[in-house]
Amino acid sequence: MSKTLIFLLACVISRAAISQPEGNILGLDQFYLLVKDHHPLAKQAKLIVQRGQVVVQEARGAFDPKLVSNYDTKQFEGKNYYEVWDTYVKIPTVLNVDLKAGYERNDGQFLNPENTVPSSGLYYAGISVPVGRGLVHNSRNIGLKKGMVEQRTLQNQAYSVYNNLFLDANYIYWTWFGTYQKLKVATSNLELMTERFLGIREGALNGENATIDSVEALIQVQTWMNNLEKTKIDYQNATLQMQNFIWDPDTNMDEIQPDTVWSRGVVFAVDNYVDFAMRNHPDLNTLEARLNGLELDRRLAAENIKPILNLNYNFITGGDRSDENLTGVTNNYKGGVEFSFPLFIRKERAKLKQTKIKIEEGDLKLGHKTREVTNKVFQSYGKMTVLQNMIVQQRQIIDNYEILLNGEKTKFDNGESSIFLINTRENKKIAAELKLVELEADYGRALGFINWSSSFYIDGLINQVQ
């Protein structure tokens, strides 16, 4: 018996020494910062934002001035059939009015008469105006606005990545917190049970206690040794899960522990969460951005029903003219009118109707998602409130179990109770303590869920991730 006891005590001491890692405390907010700054998904979210900026830059490219130069020639059997050279700069504008200025020089024995220009070349400057279709809404300015809509969509996609990432991180953190707290409970109770067993065994050897009581106490020690082993492996698994979110090379999980001082955290009124979700929830804003894009498509489709009527005017002058010889230059010009209109406009009308149907579908999706987000906020807020009340009640239960346990110990000292009854009271108190740990972890997850459902996680990111 003495060898077994010595071995048992050695196991208890060694387990108690290695079960509770001591180190720096990692609070939840600090954990969030590590995730935001170093996690690959957080870095991916930043790349999504950059992609949105490039989309707008690409759309602005439709308004870039263009320098164009065309040169054609034909030489055959020693004859210069023709040489045609045209160089110009074209400047598009938001109103779809194109400005153009260039220089043309042509020569050759068989030059097309319409390409004949003075020997010194021909300068020209002109304008192209779409009087009908495309003056107000056209593919260029609509494309730019849709690029901005796409940028907002990608911005909200990045927010959604952050929101989901913080929700997963919050869940794992509170799992880590719960397993660590249970590890502490198992370690302290194993030490307590061992101390009690040694006292009862000593009393049994002296004839003060029944031998059966020492057996009962030994069973408790062995039971909590198994419980300690289970809590150890649970804590190790939770630590490994935490490593999936901590990518900071300077943070060593073996040297940190969760903040065991539980608090209810920062909680606002439920209306504040709902209002924030209505303004900033990435899913809602994404649907609204898509509706904005569809509205732009509707405007362009309605514009395309109009006839094409383009007016072109180019002032031309020979390369050998001086400024004082430009009197009456209005007689030197090249102009034209382009008109086109489909007689049935079935394609254009169908496109417009299709876009209107998509807008109606988008409105329905937005209404459904708004209701869904609102209900999730109320649901998670209600759960959080209930858990908060349960935690208060559970602490009172533990205090009452403590009173019962102390009373049972007093009765045992007076010979009016047994170790079995003490263990029963002790087990109920320990079960209540473990239940409190679970409630505190569940509350932390519930608070994280309401921050997720209302997208409150992105509150500090709205002005940062740009």
Side-chain angles (χ1 to χ4, degrees):
M1 182 69 177
S2 59
K3 292 183 179 180
T4 303
L5 178 59
I6 293 173
F7 175 74
L8 177 63
L9 292 177
C11 291
V12 171
I13 295 173
S14 61
R15 283 174 171 78
I18 65 175
S19 294
Q20 300 185 59
E22 297 295 336
N24 298 324
I25 294 177
L26 179 64
L28 183 59
D29 292 338
Q30 184 182 1
F31 176 54
Y32 283 150
L33 289 176
L34 290 175
V35 172
K36 180 177 74 72
D37 293 338
H38 301 284
H39 197 279
L41 288 180
K43 295 180 179 180
Q44 177 187 346
K46 295 179 181 178
L47 293 177
I48 293 175
V49 174
Q50 295 178 14
R51 183 150 52 96
Q53 296 170 350
V54 174
V55 168
V56 175
Q57 181 181 1
E58 179 183 7
R60 293 186 187 277
F63 299 93
D64 289 346
K66 294 181 180 179
L67 175 62
V68 181
S69 183
N70 297 319
Y71 177 76
D72 292 321
T73 184
K74 180 179 179 180
Q75 306 289 332
F76 183 69
E77 294 182 348
K79 298 179 180 179
N80 180 15
Y81 273 62
Y82 61 82
E83 285 182 283
V84 179
W85 178 36
D86 186 16
T87 300
Y88 62 89
V89 175
K90 187 176 183 180
I91 305 175
T93 64
V94 177
L95 290 178
N96 208 26
V97 175
D98 293 340
L99 305 177
K100 187 176 180 181
Y103 174 74
E104 184 178 358
R105 184 166 185 171
N106 308 320
D107 191 14
Q109 298 180 19
F110 302 100
L111 183 67
N112 192 323
E114 73 174 47
N115 293 328
T116 301
V117 296
S119 60
S120 58
L122 188 71
Y123 292 96
Y124 61 91
I127 184 172
S128 176
V129 181
V131 180
R133 180 191 303 179
L135 179 62
V136 179
H137 302 297
N138 52 77
S139 58
R140 284 203 297 247
N141 59 26
I142 292 295
L144 176 58
K145 293 177 181 178
K146 291 192 70 173
M148 294 178 179
V149 169
E150 180 67 15
Q151 182 185 29
R152 290 196 295 272
T153 300
L154 291 172
Q155 179 80 71
N156 288 302
Q157 183 179 340
Y159 287 154
S160 183
V161 171
Y162 277 112
N163 204 32
N164 294 330
L165 177 61
F166 287 151
L167 175 66
D168 295 339
N170 176 81
Y171 184 89
I172 295 302
Y173 181 88
W174 287 107
T175 300
W176 184 49
F177 167 88
T179 56
Y180 181 81
Q181 292 288 71
K182 289 181 179 180
L183 181 61
K184 289 178 59 179
V185 172
T187 302
S188 61
N189 280 286
L190 178 56
E191 294 175 351
L192 177 63
M193 296 300 175
T194 302
E195 182 180 354
R196 179 179 298 163
F197 165 69
L198 293 176
I200 293 174
R201 177 180 176 277
E202 186 68 23
L205 293 176
N206 297 332
E208 297 176 359
N209 298 325
T211 305
I212 194 66
D213 287 343
S214 64
V215 176
E216 178 73 24
L218 179 60
I219 291 174
Q220 284 291 100
V221 172
Q222 293 170 332
T223 299
W224 278 101
M225 287 176 64
N226 285 338
N227 290 339
L228 180 61
E229 291 296 329
K230 182 179 183 304
T231 55
K232 280 175 57 180
I233 192 64
D234 289 342
Y235 178 74
Q236 291 174 3
N237 291 336
T239 301
L240 290 175
Q241 290 179 321
M242 284 285 290
Q243 291 178 349
N244 292 333
F245 291 87
I246 296 181
W247 289 71
D248 180 19
D250 298 329
T251 302
N252 187 353
M253 286 298 301
D254 296 332
E255 299 176 355
I256 59 176
Q257 65 186 47
D259 187 359
T260 57
V261 180
W262 182 88
S263 65
R264 65 187 294 266
V266 179
V267 180
F268 302 97
V270 64
D271 291 340
N272 291 351
Y273 289 106
V274 174
D275 292 342
F276 187 88
M278 295 302 101
R279 295 192 310 270
N280 302 294
H281 198 286
D283 292 345
L284 298 181
N285 288 341
T286 296
L287 291 175
E288 290 179 354
R290 289 175 181 173
L291 281 174
N292 293 336
L294 289 173
E295 174 60 22
L296 294 173
D297 289 338
R298 186 200 65 79
R299 294 178 185 178
L300 185 59
E303 186 75 14
N304 288 337
I305 293 181
K306 298 178 181 179
I308 296 176
L309 180 59
N310 297 332
L311 303 180
N312 300 302
Y313 175 82
N314 290 277
F315 155 71
I316 56 179
T317 180
D320 56 352
R321 291 201 173 190
S322 59
D323 292 340
E324 61 269 22
N325 294 327
L326 293 181
T327 306
V329 293
T330 54
N331 293 326
N332 301 324
Y333 67 89
K334 181 173 64 173
V337 178
E338 177 188 2
F339 177 81
S340 174
F341 185 70
L343 296 181
F344 298 110
I345 56 174
R346 286 181 290 193
K347 178 181 178 181
E348 291 75 10
R349 287 188 290 111
K351 179 64 176 178
L352 178 59
K353 187 174 181 179
Q354 183 182 20
T355 305
K356 290 181 177 180
I357 292 174
K358 288 182 179 180
I359 290 176
E360 291 182 10
E361 292 177 352
D363 287 332
L364 293 174
K365 288 181 181 179
L366 179 59
H368 176 263
K369 193 64 180 181
T370 300
R371 176 70 64 87
E372 186 179 89
V373 169
T374 302
N375 289 339
K376 280 185 178 181
V377 171
F378 280 108
Q379 178 185 358
S380 55
Y381 194 89
K383 181 179 180 180
M384 182 186 63
T385 303
V386 170
L387 285 170
Q388 183 178 342
N389 295 333
M390 290 178 66
I391 288 173
V392 175
Q393 190 75 9
Q394 191 66 25
R395 287 174 176 167
Q396 295 175 357
I397 292 174
I398 293 175
D399 293 339
N400 291 332
Y401 273 131
E402 183 70 26
I403 294 173
L404 290 177
L405 178 60
N406 292 333
E408 201 65 47
K409 289 179 180 178
T410 301
K411 292 172 64 177
F412 180 80
D413 293 338
N414 296 331
E416 300 174 359
S417 183
S418 65
I419 191 63
F420 173 79
L421 292 177
I422 290 180
N423 288 338
T424 300
R425 302 290 190 192
E426 189 95 56
N427 289 338
K428 289 183 177 181
K429 176 178 175 291
I430 295 172
E433 291 175 346
L434 294 175
K435 180 64 177 178
L436 177 62
V437 171
E438 294 177 358
L439 289 175
E440 290 176 345
D442 288 342
Y443 177 88
R445 296 189 188 101
L447 182 57
F449 193 82
I450 192 173
N451 286 333
W452 170 80
S453 61
S454 64
S455 71
F456 219 79
Y457 274 133
I458 67 173
D459 182 31
L461 294 171
I462 292 178
N463 296 324
Q464 297 179 17
V465 186
Q466 298 293 342

